[in-house]
């Protein structure tokens, strides 16, 4: 629970930057929306009438859902019009998915079938949540810069995934250890990328500025030579 809470709080540095600059820049809002869905489904799975003796799962994920909702609202406020529409659409989708899972589990399923259905839904979207930073990892590899992949988020993805993976193994709960094992591996990959490209942080901006300067200099030189034979 402690590592999960640190995972939920780790984007605070990122959102402090977003609020200060009044822009989401190249940060992606998808991980926060998908984490919110994962928290909602996992909190539902941990409820006593769905999965007995899993109250720890329910309490921390309920807290996480509230924190992620705040992040999503802030992201929507400062995002561009195009990005805002995408995140709002995704938010509507995840709320519809959660509502459907909750409705079906209450009125159509009972006992083991309910646990199997809710656990499967939580597992699927947990894997999707852990996989959502893949686009950011691709950006890191492409630009050779970790500016838009926060270190603490990657670190706590690894720590949280590893601790819940062990917890799931000890409790023999595949709906806990399967997605978190995937998250642990993905977090390790992010840390490896960070170790490789950590010294290149901020190179995107520098390269852009250098390129603009070179272009202006080239245009000035061309104009200077236009009057010469």
């Amino acid at each position: 629970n402690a590592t999960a809470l640190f995972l939920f709080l780790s984007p605070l540095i990122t959102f402090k930057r977003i609020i200060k600059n009044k822009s989401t820049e190249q940060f992606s809002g998808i991980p926060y929306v998908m984490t919110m869905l994962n928290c909602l489904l996992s909190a539902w799975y941990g409820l006593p009438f769905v999965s007995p003796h899993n109250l720890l799962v329910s309490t921390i994920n309920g807290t996480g859902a509230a924190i992620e909702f705040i992040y999503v609202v802030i992201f929507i406020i400062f995002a561009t019009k195009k990005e805002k529409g995408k995140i709002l659409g995704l938010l509507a989708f995840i709320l519809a998915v959660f509502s459907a899972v909750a409705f079906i589990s209450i009125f159509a399923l009972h006992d083991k079938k309910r646990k199997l259905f809710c656990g499967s839904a939580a597992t699927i979207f947990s894997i999707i949540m852990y996989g959502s930073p893949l686009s950011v990892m691709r950006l890191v590899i492409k630009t050779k810069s970790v500016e838009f992949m926060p270190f603490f988020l990657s670190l706590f993805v690894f720590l949280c995934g590893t601790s819940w993976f062990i917890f799931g193994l000890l409790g023999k709960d595949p709906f806990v250890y399967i997605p978190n094992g995937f998250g642990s591996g993905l977090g390790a990959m992010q840390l490896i990328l960070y170790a490789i490209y950590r010294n290149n942080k901020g190179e995107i901006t520098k390269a852009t500025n250098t390129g603009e300067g070179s272009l202006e200099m080239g245009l000035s030189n061309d104009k200077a030579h236009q009057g010469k034979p």
Side-chain angles (χ1 to χ4, degrees):
N1 273 359
T3 57
L5 184 61
F6 280 119
L7 172 62
F8 298 142
L9 293 176
S10 59
L12 282 174
I13 299 172
T14 299
F15 279 89
K16 183 180 178 181
R17 171 174 169 172
I18 288 173
I19 294 170
K20 182 180 178 181
N21 296 336
K22 295 182 179 179
S23 170
T24 57
E25 301 177 67
Q26 293 188 55
F27 291 109
S28 174
I30 296 174
Y32 307 107
V33 183
M34 297 311 301
T35 301
M36 180 181 165
L37 175 59
N38 171 63
C39 288
L40 288 171
L41 291 173
S42 296
W44 187 263
Y45 171 73
L47 292 174
F49 66 89
V50 177
S51 175
H53 313 300
N54 261 333
L55 196 59
L56 284 175
V57 174
S58 194
T59 51
I60 189 60
N61 281 287
T63 303
I67 293 172
E68 296 300 326
F69 179 73
I70 294 172
Y71 291 153
V72 171
V73 170
I74 294 173
F75 195 92
I76 289 171
I77 291 172
F78 294 106
T80 61
K81 188 175 181 180
K82 181 180 179 181
E83 189 72 13
K84 191 176 295 187
K86 184 170 72 174
I87 298 301
L88 282 171
L90 188 58
L91 180 61
F93 169 74
I94 66 125
L95 291 176
V97 169
F98 173 70
S99 299
V101 170
F103 184 84
I104 293 171
S105 64
I106 290 175
F107 297 105
L109 301 171
H110 303 282
D111 302 325
K112 291 183 178 180
K113 289 183 179 179
R114 176 183 290 166
K115 181 179 179 180
L116 178 64
F117 175 71
C118 294
S120 298
T123 299
I124 291 169
F125 285 99
S126 288
I127 292 174
I128 292 174
M129 177 201 76
Y130 280 125
S132 59
L134 285 173
S135 59
V136 179
M137 292 170 67
R138 185 177 64 179
L139 180 66
V140 170
I141 295 170
K142 183 179 178 180
T143 62
K144 295 180 172 54
S145 170
V146 294
E147 184 175 4
F148 297 101
M149 189 178 74
F151 170 74
F152 285 107
L153 184 59
S154 301
L155 175 63
F156 286 112
V157 163
F158 172 72
L159 293 177
C160 180
T162 302
S163 59
W164 280 104
F165 171 68
I166 296 170
F167 179 81
L169 286 176
L170 293 173
K172 298 179 180 179
D173 191 338
F175 299 126
V176 175
Y177 68 72
I178 290 176
N180 285 290
F182 179 81
S184 177
L186 196 62
M189 289 172 59
Q190 291 180 43
L191 290 176
I192 291 170
L193 281 177
Y194 201 95
I196 295 171
Y197 298 117
R198 68 187 184 280
N199 294 325
N200 296 344
K201 191 173 182 180
E203 288 299 315
I204 300 175
T205 308
K206 291 178 183 177
T208 303
N209 291 338
T210 305
E212 290 174 353
S214 300
L215 180 60
E216 290 173 1
M217 187 178 294
L219 290 173
S220 300
N221 289 338
D222 288 343
K223 289 178 181 178
H225 288 292
Q226 281 176 0
K228 295 182 180 180

